[in-house]
């Protein structure tokens, strides 16, 4: 798979190349089926795995996903109705908040994602945040509390230290230095700051957040999405006052920032899409963008995570029973095809990650140059109606040795990407002649020879050698 020079340059321009793309700009390619109801997603520290919490009837699990192949490698059982999760810096330990069983499951990746410990919590643990790999913070929504646990030894966690926190705490995040934890409280539209040194709490004035859902810290500011308000609120962590926001036309859910800080990805629950926001457009009094830049996912997107190495975006689709991947497309290359003169040759492919269009190309000079095949362009790709894009042609001897490839366009993620080429071999059908024919007539009889004449194949290359 290759990317064009223009595509490589386009990556550096961020959203500039995408301005003017309104509505869902790209269709979702092959969702990663998880089953159940996915909530949050996180990427392992080394980028090699993606984890998604999945609620099941009467239980729950963590889907372990290989981002290179967009496949689920394992379903690791946890407690009921898992929602929030996080990993330590090594990637070995995964902490999962089981809101339906009032526990935290501690998974050991080195032991096949077995549960190494189960930590009891107050009612309805919703989100978790890990400080310096040593302290696990848990928001308990129905329990109206925040709890911290010493997880220096994850297999034997310490006793809970409970900090009362009424008004339905829902989201939690922390400062990069680990000095403070920030908690959104949807019941009172509040935000609280907790000192990790002494557990002291400072709370904002009411009305700061309109029923906040999730909170994250990016570039020294705290961002909050909302259960109800069509807006992302941005808060100064020192003063706990609003410094700006971004307007949305639907309810906002999970969010994540690109590695370079140029793109904020926000799940839009009511539109089955993810919006891309330029953080530089932060406004004290935001107004709806008349042409928001978005890409389509599956119903009720919730958690969002970004691979820090590739920039790929992963989205848990709560009602879509899947995880969507957006980023530089990965193409399953078409394979070489061999047919007989006059038969139909078919080349097939699959796409991982989001693309908005594709077309097929042919080369008849060993790949030195490529030509678009008329009639093969699909300007708006949709996985549901076209899961295995293919191109078929009635092969002739003139097509022998031709190469075929597919070119996809990902407007928001780097431009065009080309698949590896597949080679078409076309064999010629010839009736037996000379000594071959006499031998067949003698040994098999006329009827058998007539049948053999229809199936005996000699390639043109073999004829040239003889």
């Amino acid at each position: 798979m290759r990317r064009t020079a223009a595509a490589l340059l386009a990556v550096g321009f961020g959203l500039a190349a995408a301005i003017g793309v309104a509505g869902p700009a790209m269709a979702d390619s092959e969702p990663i089926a998880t089953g159940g109801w996915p909530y949050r997603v996180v990427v392992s520290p080394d980028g090699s795995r993606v984890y998604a919490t999945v609620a099941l009837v009467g239980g729950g699990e963590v889907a372990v996903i290989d981002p290179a192949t967009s496949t689920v490698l394992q379903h690791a059982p946890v407690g009921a109705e898992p929602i929030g999760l996080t990993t330590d810096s090594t990637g070995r330990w995964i902490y999962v908040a089981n809101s339906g069983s009032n526990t935290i499951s501690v998974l050991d990746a080195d032991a096949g994602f077995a549960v190494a410990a189960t930590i009891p919590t107050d009612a309805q643990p919703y989100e978790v945040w890990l400080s310096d790999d040593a302290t696990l913070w848990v928001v308990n929504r129905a329990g109206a509390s925040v709890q911290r646990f010493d997880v220096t030894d994850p297999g034997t966690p310490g006793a809970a230290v409970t900090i009362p926190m009424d008004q339905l705490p829902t989201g939690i995040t922390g400062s990069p230095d680990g000095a403070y934890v920030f908690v959104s409280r949807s019941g009172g539209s509040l935000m609280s700051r907790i000192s990790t040194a002494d557990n002291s709490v400072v709370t904002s004035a009411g009305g700061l957040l309109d029923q906040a859902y999730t909170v994250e810290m990016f570039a020294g500011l705290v961002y909050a999405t909302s259960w109800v308000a069509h807006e992302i609120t941005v808060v100064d962590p020192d003063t706990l006052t609003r410094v700006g926001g971004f307007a949305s036309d639907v309810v906002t859910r999970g969010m994540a920032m690109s590695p370079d800080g140029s793109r904020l990805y926000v799940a839009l629950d009511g539109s089955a899409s993810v919006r891309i926001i330029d953080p530089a457009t932060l406004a004290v009094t935001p107004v709806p963008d008349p042409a928001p830049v978005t890409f389509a996912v599956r119903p009720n997107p919730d958690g969002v995570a970004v691979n820090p190495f590739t920039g790929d975006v992963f989205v848990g689709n709560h009602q879509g029973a899947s995880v969507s991947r957006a980023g530089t497309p990965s193409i399953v290359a078409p394979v070489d095809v061999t047919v007989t003169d006059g038969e139909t040759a078919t080349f097939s492919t699959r796409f991982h990650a989001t693309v908005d269009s594709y077309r097929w190309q042919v080369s008849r000079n060993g790949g030195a140059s490529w030509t678009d095949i008329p009639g093969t362009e699909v300007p708006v790709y949709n996985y549901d109606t076209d899961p295995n894009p293919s191109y078929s042609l009635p092969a002739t001897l003139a097509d022998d040795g031709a190469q075929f490839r597919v070119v996809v366009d990902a407007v928001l993620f780097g431009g065009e990407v080309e698949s590896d080429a597949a080679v078409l071999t076309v064999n010629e059908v010839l009736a037996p002649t000379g000594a071959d024919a006499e031998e067949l007539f003698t040994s098999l009889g006329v009827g058998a020879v007539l049948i053999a004449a229809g199936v005996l194949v000699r390639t043109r290359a073999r004829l040239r050698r003889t």
Side-chain angles (χ1 to χ4, degrees):
M1 183 174 67
R2 298 192 301 275
R3 300 177 64 180
T4 63
L8 292 171
L9 290 173
V11 175
F13 292 106
L15 287 178
I19 296 301
V21 179
M26 300 189 297
D28 179 36
S29 297
E30 194 173 5
I32 305 167
T34 59
W37 299 273
Y39 278 104
R40 306 292 196 265
V41 288
V42 299
V43 179
S44 65
D46 64 0
S48 67
R49 293 291 181 266
V50 175
Y51 305 117
T53 51
V54 180
L56 305 172
V57 176
E61 62 189 22
V62 170
V64 181
I65 298 169
D66 180 356
T69 60
S70 294
T71 55
V72 177
L73 301 177
Q74 184 175 340
H75 297 269
V78 292
E81 195 73 19
I83 297 181
L85 78 164
T86 190
T87 71
D88 75 337
S89 63
T90 70
R92 176 179 177 180
W93 303 103
I94 300 123
Y95 300 88
V96 183
N98 304 308
S99 68
S101 55
N102 302 331
T103 59
I104 302 295
S105 294
V106 183
L107 302 184
D108 185 352
D110 288 355
F113 299 97
V115 176
T118 300
I119 308 173
T121 67
D122 285 347
Q124 200 180 17
Y126 218 74
E127 292 283 3
V128 288
W129 185 73
L130 190 62
S131 173
D132 300 324
D133 285 352
T135 305
L136 180 69
W137 296 80
V138 183
V139 165
N140 304 298
R141 189 167 185 265
S145 67
V146 172
Q147 292 179 295
R148 59 183 294 176
F149 299 88
D150 184 345
V151 290
T152 303
D153 180 359
T156 55
V161 175
T162 301
I163 304 168
M165 192 73 59
D166 61 3
Q167 302 289 351
L168 297 176
T170 53
I172 188 167
T173 189
S175 57
D177 61 4
Y180 294 100
V181 171
F182 300 89
V183 179
S184 59
R185 299 158 69 181
S186 63
S189 298
L190 307 169
M191 177 175 288
S192 294
R193 182 181 67 231
I194 304 174
S195 169
T196 60
D198 58 11
N199 298 333
S200 60
V201 179
V202 176
T203 300
S204 71
L208 176 64
L209 309 174
D210 192 350
Q211 297 193 39
Y213 185 62
T214 60
V215 290
E216 301 286 351
M217 194 164 193
F218 305 121
L221 297 173
V222 182
Y223 290 64
T225 61
S226 171
W227 289 93
V228 176
H230 298 171
E231 185 180 9
I232 299 97
T233 302
V234 183
V235 176
D236 183 320
D238 297 324
T239 63
L240 296 182
T241 56
R242 175 191 170 92
V243 295
F246 307 93
S248 170
D249 57 353
V250 294
V251 173
T252 56
R253 293 291 189 179
M255 58 186 157
M257 189 72 75
S258 64
D260 63 1
S262 67
R263 293 181 170 191
L264 176 66
Y265 299 100
V266 182
L268 304 179
D269 182 46
S271 67
S273 64
V274 171
R275 183 177 171 189
I276 304 176
I277 298 173
D278 183 353
T281 62
L282 174 71
V284 175
T285 306
V287 296
D289 188 338
V293 179
T294 64
F295 59 87
V297 288
R298 300 286 150 159
N300 296 106
D302 191 271
V304 183
V306 175
N307 189 316
F309 301 97
T310 65
D312 287 351
V313 184
F314 295 87
V315 183
N317 304 305
H318 186 60
Q319 294 298 327
S322 63
V323 170
S324 293
R325 171 178 169 248
T328 302
S330 173
I331 306 173
V332 178
V335 299
D336 295 346
V337 174
T338 299
V339 296
T340 300
D341 184 17
E343 292 183 340
T344 298
T346 299
F347 298 91
S348 298
T349 183
R350 293 178 79 93
F351 307 142
H352 300 313
T354 47
V355 299
D356 62 340
S357 67
Y358 73 87
R359 65 189 187 277
W360 288 88
Q361 294 183 330
V362 62
S363 173
R364 299 185 182 280
N365 54 10
S369 62
W370 292 87
T371 303
D372 290 346
I373 302 174
T376 65
E377 182 177 8
V378 175
V380 179
Y381 175 67
N382 188 296
Y383 171 79
D384 290 330
T385 59
D386 190 13
N388 296 101
S390 63
Y391 169 65
S392 297
L393 74 156
T396 68
L397 295 176
D399 298 313
D400 185 45
Q403 298 183 31
F404 296 84
R405 71 182 184 187
V406 66
V407 180
V408 304
D409 195 3
V411 174
L412 303 179
F413 292 93
E416 291 189 348
V417 179
E418 307 156 354
S419 75
D420 292 335
V423 177
L424 174 60
T425 299
V426 182
N427 292 327
E428 184 176 2
V429 178
L430 294 176
T433 60
D436 289 341
E438 182 178 352
E439 181 179 350
L440 283 171
F441 270 96
T442 301
S443 62
L444 299 178
V446 175
V449 171
L450 291 176
I451 295 174
V455 298
L456 183 60
V457 176
R458 295 181 180 177
T459 63
R460 303 180 73 190
R462 181 181 176 186
L463 291 174
R464 285 194 292 268
R465 288 197 300 270
T466 59

